[in-house]
Amino acid sequence: MQQLEALTREAQGLAMGRGPLTGDEAEVARQMQICNACRYCEGYCAVFPAMARRLEFGKTDIHYLANLCHNCGDCLHACQYGPDHEFKVNVPQAMAQVRLHTYTEFAWPRAFGGLYQRNGLAVALATAAGLALFLILSMVMAGTQMGQPLAGNFYAIFPHNVLAWMFGIVFAYAALALGIGVSRFWREESPGAATGEATAEAVHNALTLKYLDGGHGKGCNEESDAFTLARRRFHHFTFYGFMLCFAATSVATLYHYLFHWEAPYAFTSLPVILGSLGGLGLLIGPAGLLWLNLNRHPRHGDAAQKPMDRGFIALLLATSLTGFALLLWRDSGAMGLLLAVHLGIVMALFLTMPYGKFAHGIFRSAALLKWSIERRQPSRLRLGAD
Amino acid sequence: MDDSQLDVIVIGGGNAALCAALMAREAGASVLLLEAAPEEWRGGNSQHTRNLRAMHDAPEDVLTEAYPEEEFWQDLLKVTGGITNEHLARLAIRESSRCRPWMHKHGVHFQPSLSGTLHLSSTNAFFMGGGRALVNAYFRSAQELGVKVRYNAPVDTIEVENGRFVAVRVGNERIAAKACVVASGGFESDIAWQREAWGQNERGEWPADNFLIRGTRYNLGLPLKSLMKAGADTIGDPTQAHCVAIDARAPLYDGGICTRVDCVSLGIMVNREAERFYDEGEDFWPKRYALWGRLVALQPGQIGYCIIDAKAVGRFMPPVFPGIKTNTLEELAREMGLDEQKFMATVNAFNAACKVGTFDHQVQDDCHTEGITPPKTHWARPIDTAPFFGYALRPGITFTYLGLKINDHAAVHFNGQPSPNLFAAGEVMAGNVLGKGYTAGVGMTIGTAFGRIAGTRAAASTGHIHEAIHAAA
């Protein structure tokens, strides 16, 4: 193993110009040096073609490649130098470990980056705080109206403006925090200007989860070396469910302020249809992802981050479950309580957005755009017969 | 499974074994596959492969242009120097044009030639994810079809009576079957056997002591040895092998592809005495890489040193281990443990002999040496630009060519007579086609072609006829 240690030191030395590598970063550099001499996995995803454009792996390269990795597992099962070999290559795991550093280092404000490291605690506290906030608010604001059937009139419990301001501020904060983080990530190694073509490709790759297709369309690995599209599909349910819920809220906000149509809306109205479809997606998607997460091959990804993955999935699932409960019993006396619980969960989701698993989508999209720009530029290397 | 009911035993767990097992099972035979390795190391040398050399008369999915039978055959003829069997070689070549849809059916995906391998785009179909992904796919398919698979089951004895296969032994366990396919690879991982084959050279060295094995540690050649003892006809020279010069720091086993060092044609190679010993620019590297293992094996100490300067950086596939890097050639000689004066004399003589024209690594350019022996006939440029890099190289054995003589039914022979129920496929019979030399991807061509034939014939010998029984065979 001496040569591997020498290799690691060499990789560290190469990167010294841009700051010393952490242990996890040096591990990615070590593995990339092996992969770059092999390249068998080039067809699976964008990570390996991006790697092949480089001879050395410095800090910024490592964070870029780590966030380009979708943790599909295909390269791990195909690897001739895997964990049983003395080279001990496990690219999805090494990349996952570095991604946690990306999220942490680029968090805004920086001091909150630690929340990624202790994400179980962060999600628990945010949930407790969200629930407490709305339960207390409901007592203060609604008082005796709690427990009364109010024919679905949410605003009898919480005035519309209060909700709009609270969620508006929290959402804006989440967007700002993630926006600052990802723009710093982007600037660290700007690949050049994004053309319309590159942007369109990156958007397509992000929205279709192109790199969960395995390159051959059969998908990624979950509990074994067999390929499946399950994760890609459950992720689509989750993401598009989330977006439909978001659309439902946006439409309802428009209705409220533009047309002065106030909730509750009919079951056949646009906000309720969008919200119900979205909610369905947010039930099926996270449930499926949770099941896959629990059954994944033990060598996949970073076991230390599973609490963060599952915490986020659980919040999404709780959002849709409490949302449906509210819809079903909105005319009953339980409405006030159900509303407070639902809003508390949603608040926790929004609060932890810039400090939890949600960040992966933002940084991954940025990495995909970098790749779409980079791959249109001529390679600096001329390796033999190419 | 009642032993007497078992139709076919397949010995081995690599590409040829899996092809045989799948074909025999498809024909309706009951099949037991015995893999010597534990599950995590299954697949033999196939787990390190990346492509199949495939004949095609027109562009096909991942294959560009055309690679007709005759061109394939001429390539094979050239690399083997004529030590091949034309009938069997052409059989494998033709089979390579037909087998890919079947491979795909069993879960093997293909991809265009990898970056850095454009020269293979018209001849070799690459497996997506490489050989281990192929092995995984075949094992999944085999298990779905009902092939029984056992790991940690090294066959040490094959019982044969009057040329008929009777049973195998795994330690104390005896397993009988109606037919058998031996696809257990070469004997390269048995260092003692290699030592005996290579013997002692005129310098009193045992060259095999300095060999590295690029592939699996489980190719001990026990089934081959057992059949040799039982009187099976063999073919091939035990010292001939697919042998590449690889980084001396590579692990003893399973270094695979990434330990190769692809900058020989961009620099010079010297031996332990700091002397050059062969034309580094004789031909394109992909056509010469399989020559250098043997060249290094014949040098004192079985070691060679590849020297390049800064001009070569970024022009060859990055090696897994960084080279020794220095700012002067003298330092490089010292760090590599070479005699400084002799080394400088060699480099200076080479540099002075370089007639630099227009350097172009894509063609056989006009940069050559004059007045030194051996010459460097292409890509010769003085080694003069710091930093300098040095890589120590050792012979890396991929697989040995000594094997079982077969016919076009892949039948093992005893005293010139084909066995009715014992067949061989893959590296254990590759010597029928490869007397010496190598060309990329042809091992998988032989393994796939004869694996499929052997499986089909083994099943047929038990009364199970595969619908695709080979007209050509």
Side-chain angles (χ1 to χ4, degrees):
Chain A
M1 299 304 286
Q2 276 171 327
Q3 61 264 41
L4 295 180
E5 281 153 24
L7 189 65
T8 307
R9 278 196 300 277
E10 172 93 357
Q12 283 168 327
L14 291 171
M16 284 306 279
R18 283 170 283 182
L21 299 184
T22 65
D24 288 339
E25 290 163 351
E27 178 59 13
V28 167
R30 181 188 76 82
Q31 295 193 16
M32 285 292 100
Q33 189 102 19
I34 296 166
C35 293
N36 212 10
C38 167
R39 304 192 174 186
Y40 286 12
C41 295
E42 212 169 75
Y44 283 136
C45 70
V47 169
F48 300 99
M51 166 201 77
R53 299 173 72 92
R54 293 161 165 78
L55 290 177
E56 296 165 358
F57 301 93
K59 216 175 173 66
T60 53
D61 304 304
I62 290 163
H63 282 268
Y64 160 54
L65 294 173
N67 284 279
L68 203 48
C69 168
H70 288 50
N71 194 17
C72 77
D74 288 4
C75 65
L76 172 65
H77 290 280
C79 188
Q80 58 184 318
Y81 304 114
D84 298 305
H85 191 279
E86 60 188 291
F87 285 178
K88 300 206 181 306
V89 172
N90 184 338
V91 171
Q93 185 172 75
M95 295 299 194
Q97 282 162 347
V98 165
R99 280 197 295 277
L100 192 64
H101 293 290
T102 311
Y103 307 153
T104 306
E105 280 171 32
F106 291 98
W108 184 85
R110 180 67 183 80
F112 283 11
L115 293 174
Y116 284 107
Q117 314 276 346
R118 291 175 292 277
N119 203 251
L121 183 65
V123 169
L125 289 178
T127 310
L131 288 173
L133 174 70
F134 282 95
L135 289 169
I136 293 166
L137 264 184
S138 67
M139 287 197 295
V140 173
M141 296 188 127
T144 54
Q145 300 227 56
M146 283 297 278
Q148 304 291 319
L150 294 166
N153 184 6
F154 306 141
Y155 308 129
I157 309 289
F158 304 112
H160 186 275
N161 282 344
V162 171
L163 293 184
W165 275 106
M166 281 172 65
F167 280 98
I169 288 169
V170 171
F171 181 75
Y173 173 79
L176 179 75
L178 283 168
I180 291 173
V182 79
S183 65
R184 280 174 23 199
F185 171 74
W186 183 266
R187 280 198 306 271
E188 195 180 48
E189 190 190 59
S190 176
T195 60
E197 194 188 26
T199 310
E201 182 188 79
V203 168
H204 175 266
N205 288 344
L207 292 182
T208 60
L209 296 174
K210 161 84 183 104
Y211 294 115
L212 287 185
D213 80 350
H216 41 46
K218 303 284 179 195
C220 39
N221 297 136
E222 297 296 334
E223 76 283 358
S224 73
D225 59 56
F227 298 102
T228 163
L229 287 165
R231 182 137 46 103
R232 194 184 192 191
R233 289 177 178 151
F234 284 130
H235 194 289
H236 279 329
F237 272 112
T238 306
F239 176 75
Y240 290 103
F242 181 84
M243 293 311 282
L244 284 171
C245 289
F246 194 73
T249 311
S250 304
V251 170
T253 308
L254 282 181
Y255 277 14
H256 187 87
Y257 287 111
L258 220 57
F259 305 116
H260 304 290
W261 301 338
E262 295 201 356
Y265 300 109
F267 285 105
T268 53
S269 68
L270 196 54
V272 174
I273 290 174
L274 288 173
S276 302
L277 285 176
L280 215 54
L282 270 187
L283 272 182
I284 298 168
L289 290 175
L290 187 61
W291 178 73
L292 290 175
N293 188 290
L294 291 169
N295 289 292
R296 270 194 95 168
H297 194 283
R299 281 175 172 173
H300 286 198
D302 178 12
Q305 287 175 55
K306 290 220 162 176
M308 178 163 88
D309 301 343
R310 292 174 192 165
F312 181 60
I313 294 171
L315 271 184
L316 289 171
L317 203 52
T319 300
S320 55
L321 282 173
T322 56
F324 273 115
L326 182 60
L327 184 66
L328 282 178
W329 288 294
R330 70 182 186 180
D331 294 331
S332 77
M335 186 274 276
L337 203 59
L338 288 171
L339 179 64
V341 170
H342 180 60
L343 293 176
I345 299 281
V346 176
M347 180 55 77
L349 183 69
F350 277 36
L351 279 173
T352 53
M353 252 183 190
Y355 309 111
K357 180 69 181 180
F358 182 81
H360 81 280
I362 307 297
F363 287 95
R364 176 97 13 98
S365 300
L368 283 169
L369 182 55
K370 278 192 185 200
W371 166 239
S372 285
I373 296 169
E374 179 181 77
R375 77 181 197 89
R376 286 174 166 73
Q377 295 161 353
S379 174
R380 292 166 290 126
L381 305 174
R382 291 179 62 216
L383 306 178
D386 275 6
Chain B
M1 196 184 290
D2 178 2
D3 280 357
S4 62
Q5 294 299 306
L6 179 62
D7 292 318
V8 179
I9 285 175
V10 175
I11 307 172
N15 171 56
L18 288 159
C19 286
L22 286 166
M23 288 299 272
R25 186 71 196 120
E26 279 182 351
S30 57
V31 180
L32 171 65
L33 182 144
L34 299 172
E35 162 63 297
E39 185 169 359
E40 61 272 23
W41 286 105
R42 70 185 183 184
N45 286 339
S46 301
Q47 60 183 312
H48 295 297
T49 65
R50 61 180 187 179
N51 59 36
L52 168 91
R53 186 167 283 258
M55 163 192 160
H56 54 112
D57 288 324
E60 282 178 6
D61 54 303
V62 298
L63 290 163
T64 62
E65 300 169 37
Y67 191 49
E69 179 180 335
E70 195 52 33
E71 193 181 338
F72 194 152
W73 162 243
Q74 288 301 328
D75 283 346
L76 203 51
L77 198 58
K78 210 180 306 169
V79 296
T80 57
I83 312 177
T84 178
N85 176 322
E86 181 168 354
H87 177 59
L88 296 179
R90 284 188 185 270
L91 183 60
I93 290 169
R94 285 195 293 272
E95 180 69 13
S96 75
S97 71
R98 293 190 290 256
C99 63
R100 293 203 302 120
W102 179 86
M103 295 170 71
H104 191 258
K105 186 179 91 185
H106 289 290
V108 177
H109 297 283
F110 293 93
Q111 62 184 344
S113 62
L114 303 175
S115 59
T117 64
L118 202 61
H119 56 280
L120 294 172
S121 66
S122 67
T123 54
N124 291 51
F126 281 71
F127 317 131
M128 185 172 286
R132 194 165 165 126
L134 170 138
V135 165
N136 288 345
Y138 280 160
F139 268 109
R140 281 199 303 275
S141 200
Q143 274 155 334
E144 275 163 29
L145 290 175
V147 172
K148 209 175 159 202
V149 173
R150 273 180 58 185
Y151 299 106
N152 300 301
V155 170
D156 48 51
T157 310
I158 299 172
E159 289 180 24
V160 180
E161 274 172 25
N162 302 320
R164 266 195 85 82
F165 165 80
V166 179
V168 298
R169 283 183 185 277
V170 180
N172 295 324
E173 185 184 2
R174 182 176 183 275
I175 310 168
K178 294 175 190 159
C180 177
V181 175
V182 186
S184 50
F187 65 88
E188 61 278 356
S189 315
D190 183 348
I191 308 285
W193 191 343
Q194 293 237 42
R195 198 171 198 265
E196 181 192 325
W198 277 79
Q200 221 171 350
N201 65 18
E202 68 283 1
R203 285 181 291 269
E205 302 166 330
W206 295 85
D209 285 351
N210 285 317
F211 291 177
L212 298 166
I213 314 304
R214 296 178 73 215
T216 179
R217 65 206 65 195
Y218 294 96
N219 277 3
L220 297 171
L222 295 175
L224 172 63
K225 195 172 260 180
S226 168
L227 284 176
M228 285 167 73
K229 210 184 281 175
D233 297 345
T234 62
I235 191 162
D237 172 347
T239 72
Q240 287 292 348
H242 176 353
C243 180
V244 183
I246 62 169
D247 197 300
R249 295 164 288 183
L252 179 56
Y253 295 106
D254 286 298
I257 189 116
C258 78
T259 56
R260 80 212 179 297
V261 178
D262 284 349
C263 54
V264 171
S265 63
L266 291 162
I268 57 167
M269 273 279 265
V270 300
N271 61 16
R272 199 178 61 186
E273 314 303 327
E275 287 161 351
R276 288 177 61 248
F277 53 91
Y278 198 83
D279 179 359
E280 300 90 347
E282 187 179 43
D283 203 344
F284 292 111
W285 180 241
K287 295 192 173 178
R288 279 292 167 271
Y289 78 102
L291 186 74
W292 281 89
R294 200 169 178 85
L295 290 172
V296 170
L298 299 173
Q299 297 307 307
Q302 295 71 51
I303 193 158
Y305 300 87
C306 176
I307 314 296
I308 56 168
D309 70 2
K311 296 194 292 294
V313 173
R315 290 185 177 276
F316 62 99
M317 285 287 281
V320 67
F321 300 117
I324 293 172
K325 182 179 173 184
T326 63
N327 285 319
T328 66
L329 285 161
E330 289 83 353
E331 257 180 283
L332 192 61
R334 283 197 298 276
E335 292 220 13
M336 291 191 306
L338 296 172
D339 183 298
E340 197 178 316
Q341 258 113 47
K342 270 162 100 181
F343 178 75
M344 289 311 297
T346 298
V347 175
N348 289 335
F350 171 80
N351 287 353
C354 285
K355 302 290 169 222
V356 180
T358 310
F359 176 83
D360 187 347
H361 206 209
Q362 322 290 323
V363 300
Q364 295 194 351
D365 71 2
D366 57 354
C367 300
H368 65 285
T369 59
E370 275 173 17
I372 53 166
T373 311
K376 184 176 178 186
T377 45
H378 304 96
W379 314 297
R381 290 195 292 181
I383 311 283
D384 58 7
T385 311
F388 303 97
F389 298 85
Y391 298 88
L393 305 181
R394 292 263 183 219
I397 312 285
T398 314
F399 67 95
T400 45
Y401 292 173
L402 169 71
L404 300 166
K405 188 171 166 42
I406 58 146
N407 62 6
D408 53 18
H409 283 193
V412 175
H413 284 56
F414 294 87
N415 299 318
Q417 292 302 310
S419 167
N421 66 343
L422 180 61
F423 305 86
E427 289 173 358
V428 77
M429 51 61 61
N432 287 270
V433 177
L434 290 169
K436 67 168 191 174
Y438 194 74
T439 183
V442 79
M444 290 301 271
T445 305
I446 296 168
T448 306
F450 285 99
R452 278 159 48 85
I453 293 169
T456 306
R457 293 296 163 184
S461 77
T462 68
H464 298 280
I465 309 299
H466 195 288
E467 56 183 18
I469 200 150
H470 304 274

